[in-house]
Amino acid sequence: MLRFDPFSDIDALTRGLLTSQTGSNRTPRFMPMDLCKIDDHYVLTADLPGVDPGSVDVDVDNGTLTISAHRTARSDESAQWLANERFFGKYRRQLSLGEGVDTAAISATYENGVLTVTIPVAERAKPRRIEISHTGAKTSIGTTTVDAE
């Protein structure tokens, strides 16, 4: 089934000129991701469908988390393409990490095309309750002794 849309090329050109997205029709433009905080850690999930798990790389260097991956193009020379819309090439996303995370304990899994990175909060950055000490010191005022609280 073929669908003809005479304005699709104009729409694509206009979107390319009016947005700051990088990439071409055949290279990835972005890596969609979600980031949330659950209890004492952050969870980052990134969609990487069709990416070879061996090409996924997660690095931390000088407070920057870098995620990179690669999806190879289909190389079937005899194929007659009716639609060819899936992106291929290198994906890369970088995030600045604050000083309040434990970079040594970051872990990652890749399952069903979704990369999940768990970023624990550093022990020193976790909220804690400060205990207040009370002294039972006595203060003298004139000849009367008063208990201080």
Side-chain angles (χ1 to χ4, degrees):
M1 177 175 172
L2 295 175
R3 191 178 84 205
F4 177 70
D5 182 3
F7 300 106
S8 65
D9 290 337
I10 294 171
D11 288 344
L13 178 63
T14 304
R15 269 193 309 274
L17 293 173
L18 296 178
T19 63
S20 61
Q21 290 180 333
T22 59
S24 70
N25 288 339
R26 302 308 309 144
T27 58
R29 291 196 165 126
F30 63 94
M31 178 189 307
M33 66 165 224
D34 294 329
L35 179 64
C36 65
K37 185 175 182 190
I38 301 172
D39 299 326
D40 62 349
H41 60 279
Y42 297 94
V43 177
L44 179 150
T45 51
D47 290 342
L48 294 169
V51 170
D52 175 25
S55 76
V56 179
D57 194 27
V58 179
D59 291 317
V60 177
D61 184 26
N62 202 22
T64 301
L65 177 77
T66 303
I67 302 170
S68 51
H70 185 266
R71 183 179 351 178
T72 55
R74 294 181 93 171
S75 59
D76 191 354
E77 301 280 330
S78 64
Q80 180 183 2
W81 294 101
L82 303 176
N84 191 10
E85 299 173 349
R86 296 179 63 221
F87 296 122
F88 61 86
K90 292 186 179 185
Y91 290 82
R92 184 174 174 161
R93 189 91 187 242
Q94 290 187 311
L95 296 133
S96 293
L97 300 175
E99 293 182 22
V101 299
D102 185 357
T103 57
I106 293 175
S107 62
T109 59
Y110 180 69
E111 185 176 349
N112 296 327
V114 178
L115 174 69
T116 302
V117 181
T118 303
I119 307 165
V121 174
E123 196 63 40
R124 68 182 185 284
K126 291 181 183 176
R128 59 184 167 80
R129 181 175 167 81
I130 307 295
E131 291 296 323
I132 302 171
S133 61
H134 299 279
T135 59
K138 295 184 178 186
T139 307
S140 295
I141 302 176
T143 58
T144 307
T145 303
V146 178
D147 288 329
E149 292 184 24

